[in-house]
Amino acid sequence: MLKDVLPIGETRYYSLARWALVDALRACGVGRGDRVLVPGLICREVLASINLVGATAAFYPVSPRLDAGFDARSPVDAKAVLAVNYFGFAQDLGVFREYCARTGAALIEDNAHGLLSRDENGQWLGSRGDAGLFSVRKTIAVPDGAALVLKHLTLPHAATAPEASGIPSRYRLKQAFRRVARVLGPIQTHSAIGVVREIRRGCTGHAVPVVASDAETRIPVGPGPSRLLSNRLTMADPALEAQRRRALYELAGRVVDTSVAVPVFSSLPPNVVPYGFPISVSPEHVSATAVQVGAAGFQLTPWPDLPAAVVHEAPEHYRRLMVLPFLW
């Protein structure tokens, strides 16, 4: 399945995209004391990859429409720059290419959300920079899985061998709910998930798992992908999954009350296979929106858990961003 959507280049597989980013940075020559430009609107776990190679992150802004507020004339001297295709929608890489041409920095395209997406010219997302990151587990129901594709770059060390570890209990539970969904439908499954979350809240104090306090400095699992990954990928149908996700996006657009929850993107381009339906919701409308979309079988999830260096001064549109994911 992946051979049909991954660009040509040296390809390696990992448990998490964070490990793929570690090797992408190494392939780009990033090391101790170097700087990496990353968007302020980013999951804090991404910083673990940068810290593991001894580099530091410098943040650039992102607009309410998730366009990079990046200046090609930026005086920041960086060894690499990370461009993100948020929720599977193509980021305009023009300004990044200008910066890289001027400074010699490497361009890493974070396509964790857009495994099956292409840009307006039909080019696969993740193939447009020096390195492309892919999170397979965010598109296909696998216990873990990520990929790195390098263009004109190499890594001196051998690829990481698959892990022989067992299937995580959390993945088994999700698979059970997916089987329930196929029989009972998404609305009943949504209700069942709600019950499980309330049980978890009673046991741990949190309805959903919380990000670890050391998430910016440590990757919690080893780099090797599960041995199950290759089997699951051969069972996946990219065309069917793309059709499913685009249909869900159109459905979510009809379900969401746009008077209180504003869609981030005004339309769904023909080549986009979305990770979910991103919306901007003010705090006072979150609970009502969750109930409303839940009645149609959707989950409402905050995204992302911002880095500590960003969270206290983050603009309002960072704080209001939420998503209805199409894979849970």
Side-chain angles (χ1 to χ4, degrees), residues 38-48 51 57 59 211-217 304-315 318-319:
V38 300
L41 185 66
I42 196 74
C43 291
R44 60 184 301 214
E45 297 97 325
V46 169
L47 298 190
N51 286 321
F59 299 98
V211 176
S213 59
D214 59 355
E216 296 186 15
T217 57
D305 192 4
L306 293 166
V310 173
V311 66
H312 296 298
E313 298 182 1
Y318 286 19
R319 304 174 188 275

Side-chain angles (χ1 to χ4, degrees), residues 133-147:
L133 309 176
F134 304 83
S135 184
V136 181
R137 68 189 181 95
K138 294 183 179 178
T139 299
I140 301 168
V142 290
D144 66 21

Side-chain angles (χ1 to χ4, degrees):
M1 176 266 181
L2 279 185
K3 66 180 178 59
D4 297 324
V5 298
L6 288 180
I8 296 174
E10 181 180 354
T11 303
R12 297 195 177 188
Y13 298 96
Y14 305 83
S15 58
L16 300 173
R18 278 165 270 177
W19 284 115
L21 177 55
V22 168
D23 270 358
L25 293 170
R26 288 169 175 162
C28 293
V30 177
R32 188 163 301 281
D34 290 328
R35 186 179 287 112
V36 181
L37 277 164
V38 300
L41 185 66
I42 196 74
C43 291
R44 60 184 301 214
E45 297 97 325
V46 169
L47 298 190
S49 306
I50 297 172
N51 286 321
L52 280 175
V53 299
T56 57
F59 299 98
Y60 62 83
V62 176
S63 79
R65 295 302 173 205
L66 307 189
D67 296 316
F70 185 75
D71 188 349
R73 299 165 296 177
S74 172
V76 177
D77 181 22
K79 196 69 172 287
V81 57
L82 186 71
V84 178
N85 300 315
Y86 293 105
F87 306 109
F89 287 72
Q91 184 69 241
D92 185 351
L93 299 186
V95 67
F96 295 100
R97 292 188 177 116
E98 290 180 36
Y99 174 83
C100 292
R102 181 176 66 82
T103 65
L107 175 56
I108 301 173
E109 188 177 6
D110 182 343
N111 194 43
H113 286 171
L115 177 65
L116 303 178
S117 287
R118 293 172 289 162
D119 65 14
E120 61 182 3
N121 298 316
Q123 188 172 4
W124 290 110
L125 301 192
S127 71
R128 305 178 301 163
D130 298 301
L133 309 176
F134 304 83
S135 184
V136 181
R137 68 189 181 95
K138 294 183 179 178
T139 299
I140 301 168
V142 290
D144 66 21
L148 165 67
V149 176
L150 300 173
K151 294 176 63 178
H152 317 301
L153 298 172
T154 59
L155 283 165
H157 58 274
T160 305
E163 297 286 347
S165 56
I167 303 174
S169 58
R170 186 180 176 190
Y171 175 75
R172 291 180 184 275
L173 181 61
K174 284 188 174 183
Q175 286 295 81
F177 275 121
R178 290 177 183 125
R179 288 192 290 270
V180 170
R182 286 193 289 268
V183 176
L184 301 180
I187 297 175
Q188 289 79 2
T189 304
H190 171 81
S191 300
I193 292 172
V195 171
V196 171
R197 288 184 171 179
E198 288 307 310
I199 294 173
R200 184 189 287 120
R201 189 195 303 275
C203 295
T204 68
H206 303 281
V208 295
V210 296
V211 176
S213 59
D214 59 355
E216 296 186 15
T217 57
R218 185 180 72 91
I219 301 176
V221 299
S226 166
R227 292 187 183 276
L228 293 173
L229 180 61
S230 59
N231 292 335
R232 290 286 188 268
L233 292 180
T234 58
M235 296 166 59
D237 185 332
L240 186 61
E241 182 62 19
Q243 182 181 21
R244 184 186 77 87
R245 287 173 175 269
R246 288 183 61 85
L248 284 172
Y249 192 93
E250 297 295 341
L251 174 60
R254 295 192 297 270
V255 168
V256 169
D257 181 357
T258 56
S259 67
V260 296
V262 181
V264 171
F265 301 106
S266 59
S267 62
L268 181 63
N271 291 333
V272 168
V273 179
Y275 167 80
F277 191 88
I279 55 178
S280 178
V281 191
S282 58
E284 63 270 23
H285 293 126
V286 169
S287 295
T289 301
V291 171
Q292 179 197 29
V293 301
F298 290 105
Q299 301 290 321
L300 181 64
T301 304
W303 191 92
D305 192 4
L306 293 166
V310 173
V311 66
H312 296 298
E313 298 182 1
E316 195 65 26
H317 64 275
Y318 286 19
R319 304 174 188 275
R320 295 187 175 195
L321 183 61
M322 305 192 80
V323 62
L324 281 61
F326 297 155
L327 183 68
W328 40 263

